[in-house]
Amino acid sequence: MKNFRLEIFKKASLCRNFENELYRKVQDKIIKFPVYLSAGQEFIAATVAQKMSEINVEPDIFIQHRGHSTYLAFGGDIDELIDEMLGRKTGCSGGMGGSASIQCKKKNIFGHDGLMGNQMPIGVGACFASKLPTIIFVGDSAAEEDYSLSSIGWASTKKLPILFIVEDNNLSILTEKKIRRNWEMHDVANGMRVESYDISDNPVEINKHLKNVFTKPLLLNINTIR
């Protein structure tokens, strides 16, 4: 467990330092397009990625627009990510995706296309076709979209080997959940017969709930702060 925690810390440190440097470049106006930082949420991706390494699984990964930490934690090429932030053709998305639509084919990381929550139906559809272990990262607001909810239902019906990670920072831009809705994602998922938990972003707690990952659909609503 000690080495497991250390490896998580290494991944999380890489993610946080990347975001800190990226923020400085935005402040210095070296990067002028919209940037979606995942600073504060890095322990989620770092823990899940390390768990995948421990169980020797290379899942298909569908990330949300705030996905720098997911990309880095799962081994995406950091130089290609830097080049993407600088709009270079050598970037991970050819310099055309920017911050929101990063990808890494070598690591099975599929980029976000810009439509809020669209990675949910796309990821579920891909998993249904391949039957391969699949992870979908989504924000608490994007998870509210109708096609996100129906995707969870379909994954449940077909008993897909899929992990839904809701990175719940309680915000849609600046609007808190209590203003947007009177229900919680884990309750909805449980109602669809998907095993689901509402937990903190403590790596120990996240790891505990990944014990039987990919044996059936699983949703973790992970509370965090960005």
Side-chain angles (χ1 to χ4, degrees), residues 5-166:
R5 293 182 185 182
L6 178 59
E7 292 305 314
I8 291 172
F9 181 74
K10 288 179 181 178
K11 292 179 187 297
S13 295
L14 171 64
C15 296
R16 175 61 69 94
N17 281 283
F18 180 89
E19 297 291 64
N20 286 345
E21 184 61 27
L22 180 57
Y23 181 64
R24 283 191 284 269
K25 293 299 184 281
V26 172
Q27 286 185 310
D28 293 340
K29 301 189 184 305
I30 294 174
I31 297 173
K32 299 179 181 179
F33 56 75
V35 168
Y36 301 93
L37 300 175
S38 52
Q41 302 179 187
E42 55 274 302
F43 272 103
I44 298 175
T47 305
V48 177
Q50 186 58 31
K51 180 66 174 183
M52 296 303 106
S53 178
E54 293 280 318
I55 64 176
N56 197 29
V57 171
E58 295 183 358
D60 288 340
I61 304 163
F62 294 82
I63 63 176
Q64 64 154 316
H65 70 285
R66 198 176 298 281
H68 302 160
S69 289
T70 303
Y71 176 98
L72 292 170
F74 280 90
D77 190 295
I78 190 170
D79 291 326
E80 291 184 6
L81 182 57
I82 291 170
D83 285 351
E84 188 64 33
M85 297 302 102
L86 296 173
R88 295 171 178 168
K89 292 182 180 180
T90 49
C92 61
S93 297
M96 297 183 290
S99 174
S101 301
I102 55 178
Q103 62 180 348
C104 182
K105 293 181 180 179
K106 295 177 183 177
K107 297 296 181 179
N108 304 324
I109 299 173
F110 298 91
H112 189 257
D113 67 2
L115 182 59
M116 188 173 178
N118 203 33
Q119 69 271 31
M120 292 283 275
I122 292 174
V124 168
C127 185
F128 177 64
S130 70
K131 301 301 187 292
L132 295 175
T134 300
I135 304 175
I136 301 176
F137 287 86
V138 64
D140 56 274
S141 180
E144 299 169 7
E145 297 293 337
D146 53 353
Y147 41 74
S148 293
L149 298 174
S150 59
S151 297
I152 296 171
W154 181 252
S156 175
T157 300
K158 297 302 177 180
K159 298 179 173 58
L160 300 180
I162 197 163
L163 170 63
F164 298 102
I165 297 290
V166 181

